[in-house]
Amino acid sequence: MTSPNLRIAYRFLTAKKRAMVMSLSCTVLGVGLFIVTQATTSGFERFFTKTILGINGAIRIEDKIQDTMRSMAAAGGGDSHFARRDGVKYIEGIEEPQALMAAVREFANVRGVSAVVRGNVQLQSAFKAEDAQVFGIRLEDHLRVSDLAEQVTNGSLEDFRNSPSGALVGRVLADRLQLAVGDSLLISARGASRRVQVAAIYETGYREVDKTNVYLHQPEARSLLKRPSGATFLQISLHDPTRAPQDAARLEQVLRHSVKAWQEREKTWLAVFRALRISTMITVSVFTLIASLAMFNTLAMIVLEKTKDIAILRSMGYERRDVTRIFLAQAGIVLAVGAVAGALLGAAVTWLVSQVPLPINGIFKTDRFIVTWDAAHYAGAVLTAVVMVMVASLIPARRAARLEPGDIVRGTAQ
Amino acid sequence: MSPPPPAPDVAPAWALRSRGLHRHLGQDEGRVHVLKGVSFEAERGQVYAIVGPSGCGKSTLLYLLGLLDRPDDGEIEINGRRMSNHDDAARTAARGEHIGFVFQFHFLMLEFSALENVMMPMRKLGRLPPAAMRERAHALLDSVGLGAKTHRLGTQLSGGEQQRVAIARALANQPAILLADEPTGNLDVRNSNLVFDLLTRLAKDNGQAVVLVTHNPEIAQRCDVTRPMRDGLFV
């Protein structure tokens, strides 16, 4: 330490241990709490987003849009007519999926696109019957728009790939029907029945999906659902899923089909997470405010206790700005130590929280509390601490600098 | 910050000179005219005592002369430079370079050792390299008889020892003027004599003007010049 101001600041601070511990505690807890709340709040949200993107992709194109026009005869007689757009009508499904897929692939942000044929079916195992939905897919296409490869828990995707009459069955559905890999089941739809073999069992963690969805090869599904052409929807994955709403709007405009981004599809759950985030933010803000006030109080007390020292320093030639710097340096030391210690505390608590058993199976599947490790959280926490400490220290530091040495000496001497 | 006027080529005999100083203290009904046009001069190598009853304005005058306070009217010259109208930064710089203070209540920074207290004005002035600062601080503490206690904190020193450290600190930057406000007021007779002897000897050795405010007639008698004050004026 070469700067006399920094040396004095350090000594002032370490001499007042209680005040130093108080200031440090405020900073450490502020930084730590910020990191932990960010890690835990965004952990579940990100995991949910990953889950639903892994199932349904970032964008779905369904139903063709057809403008409904009203035509009227123009006034004044004659053959003149004018037309007016009256609304939109949706024609179910995709008529020409290949042409549409080719057009979709032209969009820069599109990573993959998969045409899916969907239909309601009844499944019959040796033990039980269940209603379900069949999804006819081209496996290679669908692997580019979903996490199906990672979701297989029993059997192998390779078996499904090599078996034209193979089926991928959801975990919950398989349990209900008491199915295992290699078992056969009867699928019935529209008066026709077909026997398929369970090639693999998958689990997305989203219970509704695992309870109803059965994946078949598309030719098999077309045959079963008596749908030789077209598709029910196109599932699209994006390089940057956060841009899905903008891409969806553009796709809808260009392709004249109903296009939905995942943010719109899952807006209910996203609203829940947003509410949770706001609630957490309010908690953190209130704590930060209280911590700032406590710190302000502590630093103001140090200034009050140090008025005599300020007079000594001023009498020795230390300028007002030196006094400001000394008290700001105290805050800076607290900030530097508090930020590092707070980040370590935040990381430690985040790790501990991530070890807490918390079985959830509904909108995603986890056995433990989910946290996110993100450098941005640490940067945000440090930035918040900088603002908190500087705001809390600036007023006491400026007050210290404004003190007149003559007044202090006169007051102390009397 | 307005730059101080250039120093004259030949150092004046007067280290400190003031003319017509006025100072009011308090506000509204409590406002008191403490100094009523006081003029004072201090020559290098001389020891001055300002004496008088409590409330006559001795300390107020001393703080004005030491640029710790601003006069309502009047002029102050330090080493031939008019300082009374300068801004805070220039007055602070002049304090650091030309003036040393010794206060009645020692005013050591108690978190620092005796050595660090003495080095503090030198560190701010930055005229000497760190090793030379340390050497000078040791020499000054030796000269006030505290060579063996350089690393003791202020809290570990007696009142007399603290005052001796304060004297060493006041001399750290070799100021032209040494101002002392009741430097022996808080000490027993033995320590009072010791501190006074130190102040005068060191100041005489270095050719410094010493101005001290005191209630002690024996101390005042031993000074080169005694200036009695009453009701804000020298009498």
Side-chain angles (χ1 to χ4, degrees):
Chain A
M1 269 199 299
T2 52
S3 156
N5 293 345
L6 192 58
R7 188 193 298 263
I8 294 167
Y10 176 74
R11 199 62 70 83
F12 274 2
L13 196 64
T14 49
K16 296 282 168 197
K17 290 203 167 47
R18 196 179 296 171
M20 182 182 70
V21 168
M22 180 75 182
S23 307
L24 260 178
S25 306
C26 290
T27 314
V28 170
L29 290 177
V31 170
L33 185 72
F34 187 99
I35 289 168
V36 172
T37 51
Q38 289 292 311
T40 50
T41 311
S42 59
F44 282 111
E45 187 175 355
R46 284 192 194 184
F47 194 66
F48 170 75
T49 304
K50 184 184 181 315
T51 302
I52 60 112
L53 287 176
I55 298 167
N56 294 325
I59 286 176
R60 264 196 188 185
I61 302 180
E62 282 176 282
D63 306 342
K64 188 176 181 181
I65 296 172
Q66 193 176 54
D67 292 328
T68 55
M69 311 292 278
R70 183 179 291 175
S71 179
M72 292 180 196
D79 294 333
S80 302
H81 283 72
F82 68 88
R84 173 170 85 84
R85 184 178 289 180
D86 201 34
V88 288
K89 183 177 157 189
Y90 293 95
I91 299 170
E92 201 176 314
I94 312 282
E95 282 177 8
E96 293 179 35
Q98 292 307 321
L100 218 54
M101 284 167 77
V104 168
R105 286 193 182 103
E106 294 297 313
F107 282 75
N109 196 26
V110 170
R111 199 182 66 192
V113 54
S114 169
V116 181
V117 177
R118 183 183 57 199
N120 294 328
V121 296
Q122 194 176 49
L123 306 184
Q124 178 75 54
S125 72
F127 300 93
K128 207 178 168 195
E130 284 282 343
D131 288 332
Q133 281 199 320
V134 151
F135 289 75
I137 57 170
R138 290 183 187 280
L139 183 61
E140 301 314 320
D141 284 347
H142 210 72
L143 288 177
R144 292 176 67 82
V145 299
S146 71
D147 293 336
L148 202 52
E150 298 160 28
Q151 289 158 356
V152 170
T153 57
N154 294 69
S156 82
L157 212 55
E158 206 52 37
D159 290 343
F160 177 68
R161 184 180 279 120
N162 298 328
S163 164
S165 62
L168 292 171
V169 182
R171 159 65 56 200
V172 178
L173 190 58
D175 288 346
R176 285 186 172 191
L177 294 171
Q178 298 182 43
L179 289 171
V181 173
D183 290 350
S184 74
L185 77 157
L186 193 68
I187 306 182
S188 308
R190 303 185 184 196
S193 293
R194 196 166 294 266
R195 187 158 287 281
V196 296
Q197 195 175 36
V198 178
I201 293 169
Y202 71 87
E203 186 171 23
T204 64
Y206 202 126
R207 190 174 171 77
E208 283 306 307
V209 170
D210 297 341
K211 196 174 77 178
T212 57
N213 291 13
V214 175
Y215 292 99
L216 297 180
H217 289 291
Q218 206 167 78
E220 190 77 1
R222 286 189 186 285
S223 169
L224 178 70
L225 299 171
K226 297 189 172 66
R227 185 161 183 178
S229 66
T232 311
F233 62 85
L234 298 187
Q235 184 164 319
I236 297 168
S237 63
L238 299 177
H239 293 292
D240 177 9
T242 60
R243 279 184 45 205
Q246 294 90 317
D247 286 329
R250 185 98 182 92
L251 281 164
E252 184 164 301
Q253 197 179 30
V254 172
L255 304 176
R256 304 299 301 152
H257 277 70
S258 162
V259 182
K260 273 193 179 172
W262 64 274
Q263 290 94 332
E264 191 187 345
R265 227 168 44 215
E266 306 294 341
K267 61 184 171 193
T268 309
W269 279 112
L270 292 177
V272 171
F273 285 117
R274 194 178 309 118
L276 188 67
R277 218 166 41 222
I278 291 169
S279 153
T280 309
M281 245 160 61
I282 291 169
T283 309
V284 173
S285 302
V286 168
F287 179 82
T288 306
L289 188 69
I290 293 169
S292 299
L293 285 173
M295 199 158 173
F296 172 82
N297 193 39
T298 307
L299 292 172
M301 286 301 291
I302 292 180
V303 169
L304 279 178
E305 288 175 16
K306 289 290 171 196
T307 48
K308 199 181 80 173
D309 298 76
I310 292 166
I312 299 168
L313 289 169
R314 298 279 284 127
S315 74
M316 290 189 297
Y318 283 75
E319 298 168 42
R320 287 190 198 280
R321 64 182 174 185
D322 291 315
V323 176
T324 306
R325 282 173 189 167
I326 286 167
F327 286 93
L328 285 181
Q330 283 188 56
I333 293 167
V334 168
L335 178 65
V337 177
V340 172
L344 291 174
L345 176 76
V349 175
T350 302
W351 182 82
L352 285 174
V353 169
S354 74
Q355 303 303 307
V356 173
L358 186 71
I360 296 176
N361 195 352
I363 55 170
F364 47 72
K365 181 178 168 60
T366 178
D367 298 325
R368 288 165 192 262
F369 207 103
I370 298 166
V371 298
T372 306
W373 296 95
D374 191 339
H377 296 163
Y378 292 78
V382 171
L383 195 68
T384 307
V386 168
V387 173
M388 179 182 100
V389 172
M390 284 302 133
V391 167
S393 61
L394 205 60
I395 296 169
R398 289 177 67 117
R399 187 187 173 279
R402 276 203 307 270
L403 290 172
E404 286 293 343
D407 292 343
I408 302 169
V409 175
R410 195 179 295 117
T412 314
Q414 277 167 0
Chain B
M1 163 182 158
S2 56
D9 292 339
V10 181
W14 303 110
L16 172 67
R17 181 189 292 218
S18 72
R19 277 188 292 270
L21 292 179
H22 286 266
R23 182 72 171 109
H24 295 79
L25 292 177
Q27 285 179 335
D28 304 326
E29 293 89 24
R31 189 171 162 84
V32 180
H33 197 175
V34 180
L35 295 180
K36 300 168 181 169
V38 176
S39 297
F40 180 81
E41 290 168 335
E43 202 176 331
R44 295 165 200 281
Q46 295 289 302
V47 181
Y48 299 80
I50 301 174
V51 295
S54 292
C56 71
K58 308 184 294 292
S59 295
T60 304
L61 174 64
L62 198 75
Y63 303 148
L64 288 179
L65 296 177
L67 307 178
L68 287 174
D69 197 4
R70 277 176 184 275
D72 296 325
D73 195 14
E75 287 177 5
I76 299 168
E77 279 181 28
I78 306 285
N79 269 355
R81 290 181 190 172
R82 220 171 104 181
M83 298 305 304
S84 41
N85 296 327
H86 280 298
D87 63 15
D88 187 75
R91 291 149 52 81
T92 304
R95 270 201 304 272
E97 198 174 350
H98 303 300
I99 304 170
F101 286 96
V102 180
F103 299 102
Q104 180 180 359
F105 294 99
H106 328 312
F107 273 20
L108 289 192
M109 295 180 74
L110 299 176
E111 295 87 0
F112 293 82
S113 68
L115 189 74
E116 288 169 319
N117 264 286
V118 177
M119 286 175 76
M120 212 161 276
M122 294 191 263
R123 281 200 172 113
K124 176 56 193 166
L125 193 61
R127 201 186 269 160
L128 298 174
M133 285 184 202
R134 186 168 287 273
E135 198 179 326
R136 177 163 171 75
H138 271 292
L140 283 166
L141 284 168
D142 265 338
S143 67
V144 297
L146 290 172
K149 296 183 178 179
T150 54
H151 287 94
R152 290 212 183 165
L153 293 178
T155 47
Q156 296 166 333
L157 297 169
S158 69
E161 288 171 336
Q162 286 191 33
Q163 197 61 306
R164 283 189 273 157
V165 174
I167 290 169
R169 186 182 62 188
L171 295 166
N173 285 339
Q174 291 179 291
I177 304 149
L178 208 61
L179 302 176
D181 187 7
E182 304 266 14
T184 60
N186 237 14
L187 304 176
D188 57 29
V189 175
R190 188 179 147 272
N191 271 311
S192 288
N193 288 331
L194 185 68
V195 164
F196 179 76
D197 290 344
L198 263 174
L199 257 179
T200 51
R201 177 171 59 81
L202 294 171
K204 294 263 182 191
D205 288 352
N206 295 307
Q208 287 154 329
V210 180
V211 182
L212 56 92
V213 162
T214 183
H215 276 113
N216 187 333
E218 287 173 25
I219 296 283
Q221 250 178 359
R222 292 169 62 191
C223 293
D224 299 320
V225 180
T226 302
R227 301 290 307 271
M229 264 188 98
R230 186 170 299 157
D231 293 334
L233 285 169
F234 283 119
V235 289

